[in-house]
Amino acid sequence: MSNPKTAAPPAAGSADFTHRQILTVLAGLMMGMFLAALDQTIMATATRTIADDLRGFDLQAWATTAFLITSTISTPLYGKLSDIYGRRPFFLFAIGIFVIGSMLCGLSQNMYELAAFRAIQGIGAGGLMSMALAIIGDIVPPRERARYQGFFLAVFGTASVIGPLLGGFFAGQDSIAGITGWRWIFYLNVPVGIAAMVVVARVLHLPHHRTDHRIDWPGALALIVGLVPLLTVAEQGRDWGWDSPRAFGCYIVGAIGIAAFIFAERAYGHEALLPLRLFRNKTVSVGAISSTIIGMAMFGGLLTVPLYLQIVKGSTATEAGLQMIPFVIGIMAGSITSGQLIARTGRYRIFPIVGSVLMVSALVLFSLIGADTPLWKTMLIMVLMGLGLGGNMQPMITAVQNAVNPREIGVATSSVTFFRSMGGTLGTAIFLSVLFNVVGGKIATAYQKAQDTAAFQQSVAADPSQMQTLQQAQGSSALNDTSFLEKLSAVVSHPFKVGFSDGIQIVFILAAIVMVVGLIVVFFLPEVPLSQRSAQQQREADILAAENSDGVPGEVGAGPLPDKINH
């Protein structure tokens, strides 16, 4: 009998899908991913308007927290279940539940309803990102995969710019077609989601050989018990106090849940929700750690850039969104360039290393930006940061997908996405807490220095009410409402901007230190030769070999075990 591994013809693109078919599938996947990415950013500029309209200002954070919790927890579930039952039905389910959640959000009458419906949205969003990456892994060989996955990162970056623009526009309209303006933020998802479902349903038909497995419900339940309180305290800790009784209660319950999850995963072995043996694979373990760190640096560090643009540079939310376009350009250039070079050379390890170096450099440069730094310099640093992210994120996913058994590409992809999301949540909680804690002192110091200058004294003497306005806006409240700065003269508002810039610099220094650790981690990433076959082709070859040899497919998806061949 011939070796099926060598008998299968190598694919330059995909033996199952032509380039045109891949692009058609890609369009549907990108539409689905765009929904999830847009929904995370469009709410940023609209949440306050929504909360005011629904008379729930003090509950507005829960609309974000509910979405975050369900989307994070559902991500590994999608990966595991789609490995067992197939990608197509779960991706369609994810889009469908997201559209239903969007419709319900648009119909919300109070903040409690909105939070509950945002949780439903999150269940769908959890599958959109990871499932799209897993599907591309199914139909495109690893060597060609990065050039397609780069489009996904471009979608993510584009949504980060368009989201605040659309959110500000809809929130600023009293009504559109007789419907309250902010409700269109959610209704907009419906036609896009339906179009994505139609495209995916028509063109995505992957052969799937179901393998019966126990479903790790104990692991799923333990993961929920572990993550819900930890994600909740990450989002609410600044308001509760990190050492408050509620926070400590969350820490204890979360620790118990994580311990139970590890115990369940050990008990279920290869059928586990996140099989622990996957992390004995060096590529997977490096990918998970690196993704966590990148998530921290990316979300935690870049979260402060729009604040800098709005508070220090006086940009509106819409203007700040447009000013972030260089970041998107950098992401697109980095992801497309790395994808093309990986396809030509078959080597990927260098790109996360170079990407991490660029990210460290960008974060260090961000830490040098002050209140008087020209905007064009800030934009150039955004491009550098985008290049680093584009050269880092997608090659890492390609590396992880290439290193695992094709039957587990879903759970491997979702694990990378899961850890990146957890890192982003952790980074946001840590860096915003640092900013809240230091910004008040930095602003006070800046005003102490300014009060001795003649220009400041003259401006205050001309309008004494400015000092009263300043006293009413204490330190960190500037993160919530900076409209008071418009009532101050340029001279009186300048120290505030200086102090705020000094506080942001500390955040970027911390993010740079975190990213240095990430750079060290990616040096341990092994260079595994990229397969010339898609995961679907590898699965078919493994199944055929196993049937002919009465063996079990190999551990990394390269066909049956060697001692089973030719027997």
Side-chain angles (χ1 to χ4, degrees):
M1 164 184 165
S2 64
N3 186 337
K5 180 180 178 181
T6 58
S14 172
D16 301 318
F17 287 80
T18 66
H19 177 67
R20 183 175 180 179
Q21 289 173 322
I22 291 173
L23 290 179
T24 305
V25 173
L26 187 68
L29 300 180
M30 289 172 65
M31 292 167 69
M33 183 175 285
F34 182 74
L35 288 173
L38 182 67
D39 206 74
Q40 294 181 41
T41 58
I42 198 172
M43 288 288 289
T45 52
T47 300
R48 175 163 297 184
T49 300
I50 296 172
D52 288 341
D53 189 58
L54 295 180
R55 305 180 188 279
F57 181 82
D58 56 333
L59 300 172
Q60 61 179 310
W62 286 104
T64 302
T65 304
F67 180 92
L68 173 71
I69 289 173
T70 54
S71 61
T72 302
I73 290 175
S74 62
T75 296
L77 286 170
Y78 278 105
K80 185 64 177 181
L81 292 175
S82 69
D83 279 340
I84 299 174
Y85 300 106
R87 312 270 186 250
R88 184 172 177 267
F90 284 97
F91 192 66
L92 291 173
F93 171 81
I95 298 175
I97 200 71
F98 188 88
V99 169
I100 292 172
S102 298
M103 279 294 298
L104 292 173
C105 286
L107 297 172
S108 299
Q109 299 302 309
N110 55 63
M111 287 300 293
Y112 291 104
E113 289 184 4
L114 181 63
F117 298 148
R118 286 280 286 167
I120 295 174
Q121 257 193 322
I123 294 173
L128 294 178
M129 187 80 72
S130 61
M131 291 290 293
L133 294 171
I135 289 170
I136 285 295
D138 281 332
I139 65 178
V140 181
R143 186 155 176 167
E144 303 291 325
R145 197 173 294 159
R147 65 170 62 178
Y148 292 102
Q149 290 177 337
F151 290 108
F152 292 147
L153 199 54
V155 167
F156 181 83
T158 302
S160 68
V161 172
I162 294 177
L165 297 178
L166 291 177
F169 170 76
F170 287 124
Q173 305 299 312
D174 290 334
S175 66
I176 301 175
I179 298 174
T180 306
W182 65 261
R183 297 183 186 273
W184 286 101
I185 290 173
F186 302 106
Y187 292 148
L188 182 68
N189 294 329
V190 177
V192 179
I194 292 174
M197 289 184 72
V198 170
V199 172
V200 172
R202 291 187 61 181
V203 303
L204 184 64
H205 296 282
L206 291 173
H208 180 70
H209 299 271
R210 174 177 169 179
T211 303
D212 289 330
H213 283 290
R214 293 182 301 167
I215 298 179
D216 182 15
W217 294 120
L221 179 61
L223 185 65
I224 293 172
V225 173
L227 291 186
V228 167
L230 294 181
L231 290 172
T232 300
V233 75
E235 288 292 302
Q236 304 292 329
R238 291 191 305 275
D239 296 328
W240 295 353
W242 299 107
D243 56 352
S244 66
R246 279 190 291 184
F248 271 108
C250 287
Y251 300 147
I252 293 171
V253 175
I256 293 172
I258 296 299
F261 175 72
I262 294 174
F263 180 80
E265 301 313 274
R266 290 177 61 115
Y268 270 72
H270 71 280
E271 296 176 317
L273 183 65
L274 284 177
L276 298 182
R277 63 176 174 75
L278 272 183
F279 298 96
R280 291 197 292 268
N281 182 316
K282 191 174 181 180
T283 301
V284 176
S285 60
V286 169
I289 297 171
S290 174
S291 295
T292 303
I293 293 172
I294 290 173
M296 291 182 65
M298 180 177 67
F299 290 102
L302 285 178
L303 185 70
T304 54
V305 175
L307 290 176
Y308 171 84
L309 294 174
Q310 293 180 61
I311 295 175
V312 178
K313 293 302 181 182
S315 303
T316 64
T318 301
E319 291 170 344
L322 291 173
Q323 289 163 353
M324 291 290 289
I325 288 178
F327 173 64
V328 179
I329 293 174
I331 287 182
M332 294 177 67
S335 60
I336 292 173
T337 300
S338 62
Q340 293 291 333
L341 291 175
I342 289 173
R344 292 180 184 180
T345 65
R347 305 182 71 85
Y348 59 81
R349 181 175 178 269
I350 186 63
F351 297 103
I353 294 174
V354 173
S356 297
V357 170
L358 293 178
M359 289 180 68
V360 171
S361 302
L363 289 168
V364 170
L365 290 173
F366 271 133
S367 71
L368 301 177
I369 288 176
D372 299 316
T373 302
L375 186 58
W376 64 268
K377 290 186 178 180
T378 306
M379 290 182 170
L380 287 179
I381 302 173
M382 291 182 201
V383 174
L384 187 65
M385 186 72 175
L387 287 170
L389 279 170
N392 204 324
M393 293 171 67
Q394 296 309 324
M396 187 62 72
I397 290 176
T398 298
V400 170
Q401 290 179 338
N402 181 65
V404 301
N405 189 305
R407 294 170 300 163
E408 295 181 323
I409 199 170
V411 70
T413 304
S414 65
S415 69
V416 173
T417 308
F418 170 76
F419 282 106
R420 186 184 301 159
S421 176
M422 290 299 297
T425 302
L426 184 62
T428 300
I430 293 174
F431 294 140
L432 276 186
S433 293
V434 170
L435 184 60
F436 269 78
N437 287 330
V438 303
V439 71
K442 293 292 184 181
I443 292 173
T445 300
Y447 271 106
Q448 287 176 359
K449 294 179 180 179
Q451 286 174 355
D452 296 330
T453 64
F456 185 88
Q457 293 172 355
Q458 292 172 3
S459 183
V460 171
D463 184 4
S465 65
Q466 292 183 97
M467 295 307 297
Q468 183 179 357
T469 301
L470 277 174
Q471 292 172 355
Q472 294 173 351
Q474 294 295 322
S476 62
S477 66
L479 292 174
N480 298 322
D481 186 5
T482 60
S483 59
F484 69 91
L485 291 174
E486 299 174 0
K487 303 175 183 178
L488 307 178
S489 67
V491 174
V492 176
S493 65
H494 186 261
F496 188 98
K497 296 175 181 179
V498 170
F500 197 85
S501 297
D502 291 344
I504 283 179
Q505 288 174 356
I506 294 177
V507 171
F508 282 121
I509 290 172
L510 290 176
I513 293 172
V514 170
M515 200 58 227
V516 168
V517 177
L519 174 59
I520 295 172
V521 169
V522 297
F523 271 107
F524 292 93
L525 181 69
E527 182 86 69
V528 180
L530 292 176
S531 173
Q532 296 281 356
R533 297 183 297 181
S534 68
Q536 186 61 42
Q537 291 172 321
Q538 291 180 9
R539 278 195 292 265
E540 293 294 333
D542 284 356
I543 292 171
L544 177 62
E547 290 175 350
N548 292 335
S549 63
D550 295 325
V552 178
E555 188 64 23
V556 295
L561 295 173
D563 61 347
K564 294 294 183 180
I565 299 176
N566 298 324
H567 289 285

